[in-house]
Amino acid sequence: MLRHDPGDERHPLIVAIGIFALALVALAWPWLSGAVTIPWDAKSSFYPQLVFLAHSLADGQSPFWTPNIYAGWPQIADPQSLIFSPFHLFLAALDPSPNFRGADSVVFALLFVGGLGIILIFHERKWHLAGALVAAIAFAFGGSNAARIQHIGQVESLAFLPITLWFLMRALDRASCDRSSWRDGVGAGVAGAMIVLGRDQVSLLALYVLTGYVLWHWASGPGRFARVKASIGPLAACAAVGLLIVALPVLLSALLAADSNRPDVGLEIAGRGSLHPAYLMTLLFADLYGAADPNVDFWGPPSFAWRGALDDAGLYHAQNIGQLYFGALAIVTLLSFGLSRGVAWSREIRFFSVAAILLLLYALGWYTPAFRLMYELLPGVPLFRRPADATFELCALLAIIAGYLVHRFVSGTVPPPRTWQRALEIAFATALVAVAFGLAIKVGVLRDAIVPIVLGVAYAVVAVLALYLARRMAGHGALAPAILLAAFSTIDLRLNNGPNESTGLPPATYEALLPETKNETVNLLKARLAASATPDRRDRVELIGVGYHWPNIGLIQDFDHLLGHNPLRLVDFARATDAADTVAIAAQRQFSPLLPSYRSTLENLFGVRFIATGVPIEQIDRSLKPGDVTLIKRTADAYVYENPAALPRVLLATDWRKANFDEMLRKGGWPDVDPRRTVLLEDLPAGMTPSQAGGTARIVSYRNTAVAIEVEAPAGGFLVLNDVWHPWWRASVDGAPAVIRKANVLFRAVAVPPGKHVVRFWFAPFEGALAELKAKLSAASR
């Protein structure tokens, strides 16, 4: 029989939450104090989206479309836009110009929500306060949440998993005896919807974890049919509320993906994002491979050092992907009595252990045959290219398991080891140390590896001592051992998972992103754009090879960058420009058959007036001749050039020609016409006659989702707006609905009769998406 302990009593929630909050503040203080800021994708992708959202709301504009990247982009359908992120939306509504500290604080608030969910699960299960705190701290500042904190969307998707699990557990446990269990079902639906709104691989895997828990609940214990029957009500409430929240955002993103450059992710491509088994060593040795130490050359897979000594099987990912350390207490309990004595297989935690094993197999990708089966059988898996992203859920579940093991140990309910079990524990520890040394010797980096190996052993020893001390203290109540282990976990993770070059850099690194930046290049471009503005012009820029955080800077500084940083681009835009995910380095600026050079008709139609490059522009476009572009200035960041041939944003075309846009995209080439007066169309208009007469077009108002243009067309013609064509835009001429034709391969054109008119364009994503869906369904049914 298990011995009762005061630590088994239901602990006051306020105490647990308070201790966890203090621990999280201590861990996050370097970021919250402003000493460092979350770098890389957090600043290149997500911070610009946050500022654009805040600026739009403050200016009374819709954030659903932005003209600032890719010649126009449907923000409302982009999972990275943060429009459907409640915490970021709240900050954007509260602060019209959020700074780095504010943006970082939202991330830690999300991690607090995740840790809170874990505490609630332990509270519900009456598990020891010490275990709850160890699990919550390990979740919030361990594993992928720490090493990959810059992947804001994935962190947010994971943050709502524990709270959703808590609601789901309550709903299912109470379904047979409490008619109000549907309320917990509603809670699970709302929290689960926050997961789905992430619309990424972490969201998908979290849904599989939640689905697995429901199936486990149905299958475990007696009265399976009764369990299923009782759960129908709360699960129906969960599904109904969840679908109500996510249906439209998911539909919009699905339509965007279908109209984008997103390729099918084959098994081979996905396999290159697998978690190498050697990374499991970082569960015990925090920075074994030097990923977080600027004084050590990274030597784990797929580094040059590793490739020279061992086979990395063609992996393609960043060095922080495999940083899994989430605390010495966690790994000691898992590797000792969790495995050797089978405590991790106890009935009340078994689901989490099974789910963790499956997630590990998923994360390992092509290193086991399991991933291939998952890829072929599980819906959604082929959509994503990096199975190593499963480490987010994996580390979360391991944190819960470790917390449960701490609960059992501190409560005195872990069975004493048999001789063979103690020998197995010693063998585990010895083998791990031997493997770590063996890898270091094989790769030839023993000197660099000694410190992390020794530190890993030292932290494990201290963790064992802390556990035994906590168990001795537990006889006098739950609070003292909880504080002890929470303090040790906090110190451990603060020292081992603190800021590094992947997770925390000086804010000055990103000064150019600040809305009131003093950056010379940004201010030069803004001044030149303002000086070149005329009633028909809204010039664009290109920022090539200036820095990783520059491509989306237009979202912050309110100028239009032709390119950007996003894995998705509209398919015709991608084909026409051959635009890469980003242009952080000069080599990423690619040219296409239709846009073979900066000296091209399409570049001029885009209105690219200014080009800032990190290297001389001739190194990017070797076909340029003297005089094609003019060097304006060499700033500290870039060479800034002017393209004098850039065309206005709006044109009145009084002549038109028929063209095969698909052929132009494939073969390139542009008809010998003057785009100032001749527009290319896929179908020639009936009842309209080209004219030699002139005309004018001027921008009356240009907003994110609404553009008004005044046209004087003595003989009629086509108003051409050199923004990318998209099916969700609508137009009118003098208030009467008008058709937006695709013009010059990518742009928008509206026919205008003779005379003076006002043409209005507005973005109608909901109407447009439903019309597009209806058309796709109709085409599929033929």
Side-chain angles (χ1 to χ4, degrees), residues 520-521 524 528 611-613 630-642:
E520 180 186 15
T521 306
L524 173 63
R528 289 283 181 159
I611 306 166
T613 61
T630 304
L631 179 64
I632 298 173
K633 189 174 183 180
R634 171 70 168 105
T635 67
D637 301 298
Y639 299 84
V640 182
Y641 301 87
E642 182 173 5

Side-chain angles (χ1 to χ4, degrees), residues 8 31 39 51 70-71 144 157 356 359 390 423 435 441 472 580-581 593 645-646 661 742 767 782:
D8 291 329
W31 292 269
V51 176
Y70 299 133
S144 294
S157 297
L359 284 165
V435 169
I441 292 170
R472 291 177 63 89
D581 287 13
F661 291 168
K742 188 180 288 186
E767 175 190 344
R782 291 173 190 165

